[in-house]
């Protein structure tokens, strides 16, 4: 079983949620992406002031740039904390014949959605090795796609979750198509044909 997600199945249904390790990995990745962007934004915003004013008044060479780096680190840390505190739980309920997405954040419930199991048309699986992004999407009859899992380094987790959902849907007599490869374009069609 993948260490980044927890898959629990019983007579009530199937539940997929990120583990503590999965949430830490997602938060660290977001912090690493945010840090250079925040630093670059701060440099652009304050560069003119530095050139025309702070450069002459700076008591220690490089102190201005270090203070910007500290601000960028603070922004990245705050973004990572918010991401870490976000809990996403997908429940495939056998009794209600529904799939329920529940997203909770720092201040309680951020969002909740529900769809009938009959509305699930396909699973779109894009499992790629790190550093590429892997995704597991539910495609509904309306054409709308919802991300069950999405992130870098989730290749094994995406494959495991896709198999569990496919098995659960077959048990509930709502078999779904599984589409693999990149979304859209000729590449997706070729990947799907190769898997058939």
């Amino acid at each position: 079983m993948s260490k980044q997600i927890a898959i629990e199945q019983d007579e009530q249904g199937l539940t997929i949620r990120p583990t503590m390790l999965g949430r830490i990995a997602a938060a660290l990745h977001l912090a690493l992406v945010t840090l250079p962007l925040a630093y670059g934004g701060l440099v652009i915003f304050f560069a003119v002031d530095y050139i025309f004013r702070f450069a002459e008044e700076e008591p220690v060479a490089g102190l201005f740039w270090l203070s910007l780096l500290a601000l960028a680190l603070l922004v990245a840390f705050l973004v990572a904390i918010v991401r870490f505190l976000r809990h996403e739980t997908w429940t495939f309920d056998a009794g209600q014949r529904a799939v329920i997405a529940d997203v909770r954040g720092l201040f309680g419930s951020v969002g909740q959605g529900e769809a009938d199991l009959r509305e699930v048309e396909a699973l779109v699986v894009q499992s790629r090795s790190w550093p590429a992004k892997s995704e597991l999407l539910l495609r509904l009859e309306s054409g709308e796609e919802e991300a069950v899992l999405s992130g870098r380094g989730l290749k094994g987790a995406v494959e495991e979750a896709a198999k569990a959902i496919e098995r659960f849907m077959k048990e509930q007599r709502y078999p779904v198509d599984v589409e693999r490869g990149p979304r859209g374009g000729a590449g997706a069609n070729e990947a799907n044909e190769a898997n058939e």
Side-chain angles (χ1 to χ4, degrees):
M1 180 176 279
S2 172
K3 294 177 182 176
Q4 293 186 316
I5 61 164
I7 300 174
E8 299 161 4
Q9 186 167 5
D10 55 25
E11 58 277 352
Q12 303 297 319
L14 173 71
T15 302
I16 299 172
R17 59 179 173 72
T19 61
M20 176 81 75
L21 179 64
R23 290 182 14 241
I24 289 171
L28 286 175
H29 177 264
L30 189 57
L32 290 174
V33 169
T34 303
L35 180 61
L37 294 175
Y39 186 70
L42 288 168
V43 167
I44 290 168
F45 188 77
F46 289 110
V48 174
D49 282 341
Y50 176 75
I51 292 168
F52 292 106
R53 199 174 95 203
F54 296 138
E56 297 171 359
E57 300 172 3
E58 191 173 27
V60 178
L63 184 61
F64 175 77
W65 303 111
L66 283 174
S67 65
L68 290 185
L69 180 59
L71 277 173
L73 282 167
L74 177 63
V75 169
F77 177 74
L78 292 175
V79 167
I81 290 293
V82 170
R83 177 61 185 95
F84 172 75
L85 293 173
R86 179 183 168 110
H87 297 264
E88 300 166 0
T89 304
W90 285 81
T91 305
F92 294 78
D93 195 312
Q96 294 182 24
R97 301 276 184 193
V99 56
I100 303 158
D102 185 32
V103 181
R104 296 186 185 277
L106 180 61
F107 301 107
S109 186
V110 174
Q112 191 171 36
E114 186 175 327
D116 195 287
L117 286 178
R118 289 174 292 201
E119 294 177 30
V120 179
E121 187 177 87
L123 297 174
V124 181
V125 180
Q126 300 171 39
S127 60
R128 302 180 184 113
S129 298
W130 193 89
K133 187 176 185 180
S134 296
E135 286 184 310
L136 171 59
L137 308 168
L138 286 184
R139 181 179 300 138
L140 303 178
E141 287 179 349
S142 63
E144 186 180 352
E145 291 182 345
E146 296 291 336
V148 176
L149 291 173
S150 179
R152 300 182 196 298
L154 292 177
K155 182 178 181 178
V158 162
E159 290 291 341
E160 188 179 343
K163 286 177 186 172
I165 295 170
E166 183 182 17
R167 187 171 52 249
F168 173 81
M169 294 296 281
K170 279 182 185 174
E171 289 170 2
Q172 299 303 312
R173 297 189 180 99
Y174 298 120
V176 293
D177 296 329
V178 179
E179 300 174 11
R180 297 185 178 277
R183 284 189 288 178
N189 294 334
E190 289 168 10
N192 290 335
E193 288 170 10
N195 286 326
E196 289 175 357

